[in-house]
Amino acid sequence: MSEQGVDVPGSSPSSRSAKAYQELRNLILSGHFEPNARLTEAELTGRLDVSRGTIRSVLVRLTQEGYVTSEPNRGVRTRVFTIEEAAAVLEAREVLEAALAGKAATHATESELAELAGICRRMSEAEDVRAEAEYSRLNRRFHRHVRTIARQPILSGFVDVLVYPLVMRQFRDLTRTHPRTDSLNEHLAVAAALKTRNPDAAAAAMRHHVASAGRALLLNAKSSEG
């Protein structure tokens, strides 16, 4: 791209837009931007090295998918959830991820289970050295892998629509130790249930884990304050 923000000749508009969409989506989900942070075309064209036209199309897509909001006179901002919206997201995620874990128990191959066990080992290592960012990355990988094993793309797609990481970002209790004390054991319980090929146990273990993660957020405290 030139200094004026013109896309590089030779690359297709669709590939440029897809790459910029993925990069900006990852920045939002990783917590790079604070909730309600304004996203300006000028900043994003420089950061993502694409034209303003490409950024506009990316922001339209992200708005449609619920990652950002767009309002007259306020511009495009990262999404902010009300307590009621956040609680609804947490409840829906609990149901969906439990269902996916149950499906994963019936479909998992030995190699997929071995990969899941490897993720758990690396999570344990990250916890031992208090590598919070690495633990969080592996946590996301664990959940994605369970969803992949489930072989239920429609159910998995519903989880994406919830944009749960944004709720986590907004309501995370920064006074708490990360990861939570029981987080690793909860992941291990899910992996063990999958290994026994027990759908009910896998669903129950995942539901407990997701519910516990939700209870660690600040929703209840903020609700009481209101």
Side-chain angles (χ1 to χ4, degrees):
M1 191 184 81
S2 73
E3 293 180 359
Q4 289 72 37
V6 178
D7 290 322
V8 177
S11 60
S12 71
S14 60
S15 66
R16 291 193 299 269
S17 181
K19 183 175 183 292
Y21 162 82
Q22 195 62 51
E23 289 180 358
L24 183 53
R25 178 179 177 273
N26 288 342
L27 285 171
I28 293 171
L29 289 177
S30 69
H32 180 82
F33 301 104
E34 293 288 337
N36 202 37
R38 187 171 184 182
L39 304 179
T40 66
E41 291 180 6
E43 176 194 357
L44 295 177
T45 53
R47 178 181 294 277
L48 303 179
D49 199 30
V50 291
S51 69
R52 290 201 173 203
T54 297
I55 287 297
R56 290 190 192 106
S57 67
V58 168
L59 290 175
V60 167
R61 181 177 174 185
L62 290 171
T63 301
Q64 293 171 340
E65 295 176 351
Y67 294 96
V68 300
T69 58
S70 179
E71 300 178 19
N73 303 319
R74 283 177 52 82
V76 177
R77 294 177 179 271
T78 51
R79 186 171 173 182
V80 176
F81 295 83
T82 65
I83 291 174
E84 292 75 17
E85 288 171 336
V89 167
L90 294 176
E91 184 177 357
R93 182 182 183 240
E94 188 179 323
V95 172
L96 291 170
E97 294 236 29
L100 285 161
K103 292 292 184 181
T106 65
H107 293 300
T109 65
E110 289 300 322
S111 62
E112 288 170 335
L113 291 173
E115 182 175 348
L116 197 65
I119 295 172
C120 288
R121 283 194 298 273
R122 290 191 289 278
M123 290 176 75
S124 178
E125 293 166 358
E127 183 180 53
D128 287 342
V129 298
R130 301 186 64 80
E132 296 184 7
E134 177 65 4
Y135 187 95
S136 294
R137 184 189 71 80
L138 290 166
N139 173 59
R140 293 190 295 271
R141 184 176 173 186
F142 180 97
H143 285 270
R144 284 197 305 269
H145 191 54
V146 171
R147 288 162 55 186
T148 298
I149 295 171
R151 294 171 175 78
Q152 297 287 323
I154 293 178
L155 273 181
S156 184
F158 288 149
V159 176
D160 284 332
V161 171
L162 295 175
V163 291
Y164 168 75
L166 301 188
V167 173
M168 286 285 293
R169 170 68 172 167
Q170 183 177 338
F171 291 97
R172 181 179 169 188
D173 185 353
L174 296 178
T175 67
R176 285 177 175 258
T177 301
H178 180 74
R180 291 179 299 109
T181 302
D182 295 326
S183 174
L184 180 59
N185 286 335
E186 291 164 10
H187 286 88
L188 291 171
V190 173
L194 292 179
K195 190 172 181 62
T196 64
R197 315 287 184 175
N198 187 326
D200 291 338
M206 181 63 85
R207 189 156 197 162
H208 171 71
H209 167 56
V210 174
S212 296
R215 285 193 295 271
L217 300 180
L218 287 171
L219 268 68
N220 291 333
K222 289 184 180 295
S223 180
S224 299
E225 291 171 4

